[in-house]
Amino acid sequence: MRIQAALVESVGGPFTLRDVDIDEPRPDEILVRIRAAGICHTDLGTREVWPRLPMVFGHEGAGVVEAVGSAVTTVAPGDTVCLSYRSCATCDNCTSSRSAYCQAGIHTLNATGTRPDHSTPLSRDGSPVFGSFFGQSSFATHALAYESNCVKIPAGLDPVLAAPLGCGVQTGAGTVLNVLQPAAGSSLVVFGAGSVGLSAVMAAVAEGSSVVAVDPVASRRAMAQDLGAVATLDPEDLDDVATALHEITQGGAHHAIDTTGRSAVISQAIVALRRRGTLALVGIGKTAEFDIMTVMTKGIQLRGVIEGDAVPRTFIPHLIALHEQGRLPVEKLITRYPFSDIEAAARAAASGEVIKPVLTFS
């Protein structure tokens, strides 16, 4: 089947629309016509270093099922779906509602550019095109997904609102609701007010927490306040962010979330916590240096989090319910772009001009 996809054809190169061919679904695969796809910083960061080219990224897809393989039972042609990360569904973690930590690994099922058997469902002029990113590669008019990452949603839900639920919103809101579970009235500091951080702000405000957002971009700080943050800080205007946060939170925050993956920011977050506080590490990074004695003597808990500890088939419907109640106004984060403008949308996201660009498909 001939489709259109946004290919990255060189390391760090632009997204370029090309015609490619996609396989018919295998027994365990689901063919989805994409109606909207969010752009995540994981897509942007990964294309800067991805070695297997050409490649189709995209892991926040939403659309309509067009065909299913013979073994698929959870969705049918015509169903409206939201796509998320892929898991094996059979290991101990998957069967105990911890699929974000699937034993098959986020890398094996989501970030190799191929299916687990090393085949790719995409090709161009007979040559392989790498894909299967997060079990979808949704920067395309059609994608092949799986039961573990294909969640049926209400047909009337705007796909532009649904798409970011599959990763960015799920990660930020899930870190609050599934991991930190802050008590009403407790304090939470969010470092980095992009789509993940602001989703955490929304969820924490909905839970009755007192939220402070730290970000150097004025428009993002303004959005955090609009979403209910009690205060925001520009770290570039302060000599000591942690001291300022201790004053605002009256002795240190109960919880903190780092979405940046930066060592210096993680160190600030640790110091900003009160005794027995918890820091959730959400941002992708390689290494971090911090004062171990501070962590030990204050009894700080460090918690790594993937995908908000969320099981998509149950958590995405929960996020939709929160949105319907007005407690998760995802639409405030979104800027719409036609699929043909994907590179402009990517540049706007990378520069901080927009928070969550979502591609629309005619």
Side-chain angles (χ1 to χ4, degrees):
M1 176 181 172
R2 184 62 54 88
I3 67 170
Q4 191 173 59
L7 269 61
V8 174
E9 299 177 287
S10 60
V11 177
F15 294 109
T16 305
L17 298 192
R18 305 289 191 197
D19 289 336
V20 302
D21 293 308
I22 190 169
D23 291 350
E24 294 298 315
R26 291 179 173 183
D28 62 340
E29 292 179 337
I30 300 162
L31 180 67
V32 178
R33 176 170 57 85
I34 301 297
R35 297 182 60 200
I39 295 179
C40 176
H41 279 276
T42 299
D43 299 305
L44 304 182
T46 304
R47 75 164 170 173
E48 296 298 320
V49 298
W50 192 264
R52 311 186 79 179
L53 300 168
M55 176 69 182
V56 180
F57 293 101
H59 62 287
E60 291 183 346
V64 178
V65 175
E66 287 206 344
V68 300
S70 58
V72 173
T73 61
T74 56
V75 295
D79 285 345
T80 302
V81 294
C82 176
L83 305 182
S84 186
Y85 70 90
R86 186 183 177 193
S87 58
C88 76
T90 59
C91 71
D92 288 347
N93 281 337
C94 285
T95 57
S96 60
S97 299
R98 296 289 182 265
S99 56
Y101 309 100
C102 173
Q103 300 284 13
I106 286 293
H107 178 77
T108 301
L109 293 180
N110 295 273
T112 63
T114 65
R115 300 177 175 109
D117 68 359
H118 307 298
S119 67
T120 175
L122 303 170
S123 62
R124 184 181 181 214
D125 298 329
S127 297
V129 171
F130 294 100
S132 296
F133 195 56
F134 281 68
Q136 52 181 287
S137 285
S138 51
F139 290 164
T141 55
H142 292 75
L144 284 172
Y146 301 84
E147 287 187 306
S148 67
N149 72 327
C150 190
V151 180
K152 187 175 178 179
I153 60 175
L157 181 64
D158 185 348
V160 172
L161 296 179
L165 303 182
C167 183
V169 177
Q170 175 172 262
T171 297
T175 300
V176 173
L177 301 176
N178 299 330
V179 179
L180 298 177
Q181 299 180 344
S186 63
S187 53
L188 168 68
V189 180
V190 178
F191 291 85
S195 62
V196 172
L198 289 172
S199 296
V201 170
M202 283 189 278
V205 168
E207 292 295 291
S209 290
S210 177
V211 183
V212 182
V214 181
D215 195 285
V217 180
S219 60
R220 294 185 174 190
R221 296 196 303 274
M223 178 60 71
Q225 287 189 303
D226 182 56
L227 293 172
V230 297
T232 62
L233 295 178
D234 180 353
E236 296 181 352
D237 277 352
L238 295 169
D239 293 329
D240 191 338
V241 172
T243 296
L245 289 169
H246 269 268
E247 293 175 357
I248 294 170
T249 60
Q250 299 180 352
H254 294 91
H255 307 285
I257 299 173
D258 173 68
T259 71
T260 72
R262 297 176 182 175
S263 180
V265 177
I266 292 169
S267 292
Q268 289 175 347
I270 289 171
V271 178
L273 287 166
R274 66 181 59 199
R275 293 184 182 279
R276 294 181 54 78
T278 303
L279 170 59
L281 300 174
V282 175
I284 296 174
K286 292 185 177 180
T287 61
E289 294 183 4
F290 53 84
D291 185 350
I292 294 175
M293 285 301 294
T294 299
V295 173
M296 292 176 63
T297 58
K298 292 175 67 175
I300 301 299
Q301 298 182 66
L302 301 180
R303 175 66 149 80
V305 183
I306 293 291
E307 293 287 350
D309 268 26
V311 179
R313 71 175 181 274
T314 56
F315 195 62
I316 288 174
H318 180 57
L319 293 176
I320 292 170
L322 290 176
H323 178 264
E324 290 174 347
Q325 297 163 13
R327 302 173 66 196
L328 200 74
V330 177
E331 65 278 0
K332 292 187 176 184
L333 311 183
I334 291 172
T335 303
R336 300 174 184 234
Y337 289 84
F339 182 43
S340 57
D341 287 347
I342 181 173
E343 182 58 26
R347 289 197 299 268
S351 69
E353 178 184 342
V354 302
I355 296 167
K356 172 54 70 175
V358 177
L359 306 171
T360 59
F361 295 72
S362 58

